[in-house]
Amino acid sequence: MAKTYAPTDLIANRRLYWIAAGLAVVMMAPVLWIIGLSIKDNAELMRGTQQVFSAPYTVVNYLNILKSSNVFGWFLNSLIVALGQTVGVLILSSLAGYAFARLEFPFRRTLFVIVLFGLAVPEQVVIIARHQMFNWFGLHNTHIALILPGLSSAFGVFLMAQFFRAIPRDIDEAALLDNTPPFRIFWRVLMPLTLPAQATLGIFTFLLAWNDYWWPLISATKKEMFTLTIGIASSQTNFAQSEGLGFLSAQAVFAALPIVVVYIFFQRHIVTAVSGGAVK
Amino acid sequence: MSAAIEIQSVTKRYGALTVLDDISLTITPGEFVVFLGPSGCGKSTLLRMIAGLEAVDAGEIHLGGRRIDTLAPGQRGVAMVFQSYALYPHMTVAKNMAFGLENIGLEAAEITRRVTEAARVLEIDHLLDRKPAKLSGGQRQRVAIGRAIVKEPMAFLFDEPLSNLDAALRGRTRLELAQLHQRLGATMIFVTHDQVEAMTLADRIVIMNGRKIEQIGTPMDIYHRPKTRFVAEFVGSPAMSMLPVAAVTAESVEIAGLGRIAAQLPGLSGFDAAGAVLGVRAEDAHVLPADQSGLPFTISVVERLGDRTLLYGRLGTVCDLVVEDTGRSTAVAGQTVSVGFNPAALHLFDAAGRACDGLGG
Ligand SMILES: Nc1ncnc2c1ncn2[C@@H]1O[C@H](COP(=O)(O)OP(=O)(O)O)[C@@H](O)[C@H]1O
Ligand SMILES: [Mg+2]
């Protein structure tokens, strides 16, 4: 049988493979390090972190999370904020994106340009004004305060508008001829077609919200309103962090769990999202 | 169930651009009417106005005696098959067909009956559980037609539904559409820029060009008695040749710079020969035997089609001409031969492109 044609150069591919493997090790090392630290006794780590490489190992740090720390409360706060933002962003971006893509209304183009400007405005520019606003309304130290700013997602509106635009109008028109009421066209005909975009946007929003540090740091000043990021940072007691290193690491691992879960369940969508293609 | 469609003085504008200007047309119940014309002439626009996807700027549209241009698309009793098929990608074939029926609250048993029946007729029953992405182009096409059939509409509207199919499938589907029309007996409007589709499918063809209807007639009417030069040149392949005319009488035409040829031209009264042209189809021009004299024709390209041969070239030094010869033609490029014309099948058009009355066979 004739040798089949190989479309890509295998040698080059193998080299890429090793480079990727090397990078993966570099990426994974700190993660493994933290996991290692988290299963060591705090006192033992005081003597030196090389103890990670030898037994005994323990789950006592994780048990301490369950028992004593505020981590559970913070975890819950993070979950409420991240889910709240995700759901809110998906709803608002879908509605706004649909409107920009399909409806005729005054100043549609101008408004869209303004939305796009939102992409270019960094959080730093607005944060003081935002802080004052929330102060006036007395909203600080509430979940609402942590969720609200994240809902105006210029990226989300832009993404959804582009996605709705990419759906041929023939589909809407077929639905019109099929006697479909307007909202049902949006909900039953077009929305299901945007699922890939919803997944992308949802994952990004969730991860961003979960990892957000700055706004919760400003808005949540009471310990019980901390999100995980703020909470864990606040449990860093001394500069060198020689005490309680195992416990801190366990908290970090615990905080990362939802992210890991999201990655595992939505891996396919994340790859699609990051590589920016394959929208069907 | 089929119904008459009446289009009364319909006008369509996009801003300052008038796309359709005062169009009137009556379609009888059960008729298969084809809108034929070059790309951009407004065929789709007119169809979409009937469907309710474009607003009517002036005039009225009636279907089955009821005014419909003021109704929502879904209320008009029409079904449309799109060029892109426009199937709902996330719904199965069955669901695609059922969706519109569910929207009007038809009972489930009736929906199932109609979907099953349509699927059987279109031979897509084995595909009912598939999504459109898993179908071939031809199968999607059938589903799109099925989605129209189950609505049991008073009129079917097709916008170039065959143009995304490959040639073989297009031919077959054309035939099936004709059969479908016979079986359903429904009023159908079919938009195309393909004259073969128009000729083969239509009871009547509506030729459109430049905001207006050029001519309405049966395929044979359109082909043999084109009312305008545009229709004459647009329909027929190869396109009709146009010879410049110097003078006409009832029995002959003088071709500018070449001489007279015999022609039967009744109803010439009032015809202005200035700037007129004489239209000749390839099959009405022929190479004369060596002992007969006609007009000199210099062949530049010989196109052999097997059953016949098309000779492309110039008539004298005056104009281009296509002449049909037999399949076993001995003509070669570069040769100059004598050609004659069928006097009963010549088409005379005045300078404005209007046909001289009573022309042609
Ligand atoms: N939404 C629109 N806005 C402006 N012009 C349009 C629009 N839709 C169609 N047209 C114009 O109307 C004319 C007729 O279009 P159409 O009906 O699609 O032609 P056809 O189907 O015969 O190819 C074209 O010149 C096209 O450019
Ligand atoms: Mg068109």
Side-chain angles (χ1 to χ4, degrees), chain A residues 136-168:
Chain A
W136 289 332
F137 296 137
L139 282 174
H140 280 313
N141 284 308
T142 63
H143 287 131
I144 297 290
L146 292 175
I147 292 172
L148 268 184
L151 294 186
S152 64
S153 168
F155 171 72
V157 174
F158 174 71
L159 181 80
M160 293 316 298
Q162 293 306 92
F163 220 86
F164 278 113
R165 279 186 187 137
I167 301 173

Coordinates of all heavy atoms in Angstrom, one line a residue, chain A residues 136-168:
Chain A
W136 N -22.9 56.3 48.8 CA -24.1 57.1 48.9 C -25.3 56.2 49.1 O -26.2 56.5 49.9 CB -24.3 58.0 47.6 CG -23.3 59.1 47.5 CD1 -22.7 59.8 48.5 CD2 -22.9 59.7 46.3 NE1 -21.9 60.7 48.0 CE2 -22.0 60.7 46.6 CE3 -23.2 59.5 44.9 CZ2 -21.3 61.5 45.7 CZ3 -22.6 60.3 44.0 CH2 -21.6 61.3 44.4
F137 N -25.4 55.2 48.3 CA -26.5 54.3 48.3 C -26.5 53.4 49.5 O -27.4 52.6 49.7 CB -26.7 53.5 47.0 CG -26.9 54.4 45.8 CD1 -26.2 54.1 44.6 CD2 -27.8 55.5 45.9 CE1 -26.4 54.9 43.5 CE2 -28.0 56.3 44.7 CZ -27.3 56.0 43.6
G138 N -25.4 53.5 50.2 CA -25.3 52.6 51.4 C -25.2 51.1 51.0 O -25.8 50.3 51.7
L139 N -24.6 50.8 49.9 CA -24.7 49.4 49.4 C -23.4 48.6 49.8 O -23.4 47.4 49.6 CB -24.8 49.4 47.9 CG -26.2 49.7 47.4 CD1 -26.2 49.8 45.9 CD2 -27.2 48.6 47.8
H140 N -22.4 49.3 50.3 CA -21.2 48.5 50.6 C -21.5 47.4 51.6 O -22.4 47.5 52.4 CB -20.1 49.5 51.1 CG -19.4 50.2 50.0 ND1 -18.9 49.6 48.8 CD2 -19.1 51.5 49.9 CE1 -18.4 50.5 48.1 NE2 -18.5 51.7 48.6
N141 N -20.6 46.4 51.5 CA -20.8 45.2 52.4 C -22.2 44.5 52.2 O -22.8 44.0 53.1 CB -20.7 45.6 53.8 CG -19.2 45.8 54.2 OD1 -18.4 45.0 53.9 ND2 -18.9 47.0 54.7
T142 N -22.6 44.5 50.9 CA -23.7 43.6 50.5 C -23.4 42.8 49.3 O -22.5 43.2 48.6 CB -25.0 44.5 50.2 OG1 -24.7 45.2 49.0 CG2 -25.4 45.4 51.3
H143 N -24.1 41.7 49.1 CA -23.9 41.0 47.9 C -24.2 41.8 46.6 O -23.5 41.7 45.6 CB -24.7 39.7 47.9 CG -24.2 38.7 48.9 ND1 -25.1 38.0 49.8 CD2 -23.0 38.2 49.1 CE1 -24.3 37.2 50.5 NE2 -23.1 37.3 50.1
I144 N -25.2 42.6 46.7 CA -25.6 43.4 45.6 C -24.5 44.3 45.1 O -24.2 44.4 44.0 CB -26.8 44.3 46.0 CG1 -28.0 43.5 46.4 CG2 -27.1 45.3 44.9 CD1 -28.7 42.8 45.2
A145 N -23.8 44.9 46.1 CA -22.7 45.7 45.8 C -21.6 44.9 45.1 O -20.9 45.4 44.2 CB -22.1 46.4 47.0
L146 N -21.4 43.7 45.5 CA -20.3 42.9 44.9 C -20.7 42.5 43.5 O -19.9 42.3 42.6 CB -20.0 41.7 45.7 CG -19.4 42.0 47.1 CD1 -19.2 40.8 47.9 CD2 -18.0 42.7 46.9
I147 N -22.0 42.3 43.3 CA -22.5 41.7 42.0 C -22.7 42.8 40.9 O -22.2 42.7 39.8 CB -23.8 41.0 42.2 CG1 -23.6 39.7 43.0 CG2 -24.4 40.6 40.8 CD1 -24.8 39.0 43.3
L148 N -23.3 43.9 41.4 CA -23.8 44.9 40.4 C -22.7 45.4 39.4 O -23.0 45.4 38.2 CB -24.3 46.2 41.1 CG -25.9 46.1 41.4 CD1 -26.3 47.4 42.1 CD2 -26.6 45.9 40.1
P149 N -21.5 45.9 39.8 CA -20.6 46.4 38.8 C -20.3 45.5 37.7 O -20.0 45.9 36.6 CB -19.4 46.8 39.6 CG -19.9 46.9 41.0 CD -21.0 45.9 41.2
G150 N -20.3 44.2 38.0 CA -19.9 43.2 37.0 C -20.9 42.9 36.0 O -20.7 42.3 35.0
L151 N -22.1 43.4 36.2 CA -23.2 43.1 35.3 C -23.2 43.9 34.0 O -23.6 43.4 33.0 CB -24.6 43.4 36.0 CG -24.9 42.5 37.2 CD1 -26.3 42.8 37.6 CD2 -24.8 41.1 36.8
S152 N -22.6 45.1 34.0 CA -22.5 45.8 32.8 C -21.3 45.3 32.0 O -20.2 45.9 32.1 CB -22.4 47.3 33.1 OG -21.2 47.6 33.8
S153 N -21.5 44.3 31.3 CA -20.3 43.7 30.6 C -20.3 44.1 29.1 O -21.1 43.6 28.3 CB -20.4 42.2 30.7 OG -19.5 41.6 29.8
A154 N -19.4 45.1 28.8 CA -19.3 45.5 27.4 C -18.9 44.4 26.5 O -19.5 44.2 25.4 CB -18.3 46.7 27.3
F155 N -18.0 43.6 27.0 CA -17.6 42.4 26.3 C -18.8 41.5 26.0 O -18.9 41.0 24.8 CB -16.5 41.7 27.0 CG -16.1 40.3 26.4 CD1 -15.4 40.3 25.2 CD2 -16.5 39.1 27.0 CE1 -15.1 39.1 24.6 CE2 -16.2 37.9 26.4 CZ -15.5 37.9 25.3
G156 N -19.6 41.2 27.0 CA -20.7 40.3 26.8 C -21.7 40.9 25.8 O -22.1 40.1 24.9
V157 N -22.0 42.1 25.9 CA -23.0 42.7 24.9 C -22.4 42.6 23.5 O -23.1 42.3 22.5 CB -23.3 44.2 25.3 CG1 -24.1 44.8 24.2 CG2 -24.0 44.3 26.6
F158 N -21.1 43.0 23.4 CA -20.4 42.9 22.1 C -20.5 41.5 21.5 O -20.9 41.3 20.4 CB -19.0 43.4 22.3 CG -18.2 43.3 21.0 CD1 -18.4 44.1 19.9 CD2 -17.2 42.3 21.0 CE1 -17.6 43.9 18.8 CE2 -16.4 42.1 19.8 CZ -16.7 42.9 18.7
L159 N -20.1 40.5 22.4 CA -20.0 39.1 21.9 C -21.4 38.7 21.5 O -21.5 38.1 20.4 CB -19.5 38.3 23.1 CG -19.4 36.8 22.8 CD1 -18.1 36.5 22.0 CD2 -19.4 35.9 24.0
M160 N -22.4 38.9 22.3 CA -23.7 38.4 22.0 C -24.3 39.1 20.7 O -24.9 38.5 19.9 CB -24.7 38.6 23.1 CG -24.4 37.7 24.3 SD -23.9 36.0 24.0 CE -25.5 35.5 23.2
A161 N -24.0 40.4 20.6 CA -24.5 41.1 19.4 C -23.9 40.5 18.2 O -24.6 40.3 17.2 CB -24.1 42.6 19.5
Q162 N -22.6 40.3 18.2 CA -21.9 39.7 17.1 C -22.5 38.3 16.8 O -22.7 37.9 15.6 CB -20.4 39.6 17.3 CG -19.7 40.9 17.4 CD -19.9 41.7 16.2 OE1 -20.9 42.6 16.2 NE2 -19.2 41.6 15.1
F163 N -22.8 37.6 17.8 CA -23.3 36.2 17.6 C -24.7 36.2 17.0 O -25.0 35.5 16.1 CB -23.3 35.5 19.0 CG -22.9 34.1 18.8 CD1 -21.5 33.7 18.9 CD2 -23.8 33.1 18.6 CE1 -21.1 32.4 18.7 CE2 -23.4 31.8 18.5 CZ -22.1 31.4 18.5
F164 N -25.5 37.1 17.5 CA -26.9 37.2 16.9 C -26.8 37.7 15.5 O -27.6 37.2 14.7 CB -27.7 38.2 17.8 CG -28.4 37.5 19.0 CD1 -28.0 37.9 20.2 CD2 -29.3 36.5 18.8 CE1 -28.5 37.3 21.4 CE2 -29.9 35.9 19.9 CZ -29.5 36.3 21.2
R165 N -25.9 38.6 15.2 CA -25.7 39.1 13.8 C -25.3 37.9 12.9 O -25.7 37.9 11.7 CB -24.7 40.2 13.8 CG -25.2 41.5 14.2 CD -24.2 42.6 14.0 NE -24.8 43.8 14.6 CZ -24.1 44.7 15.3 NH1 -22.8 44.5 15.5 NH2 -24.7 45.7 15.8
A166 N -24.6 37.0 13.5 CA -24.1 35.9 12.6 C -25.2 34.9 12.3 O -25.0 34.1 11.3 CB -22.9 35.2 13.3
I167 N -26.3 34.9 13.0 CA -27.4 34.0 12.6 C -28.1 34.6 11.5 O -28.6 35.8 11.5 CB -28.3 33.9 13.8 CG1 -27.6 33.3 15.0 CG2 -29.5 33.0 13.5 CD1 -28.4 33.3 16.3
P168 N -28.3 33.9 10.4 CA -29.0 34.4 9.2 C -30.4 34.9 9.5 O -31.1 34.2 10.3 CB -29.0 33.2 8.2 CG -28.1 32.2 8.8 CD -27.9 32.5 10.2

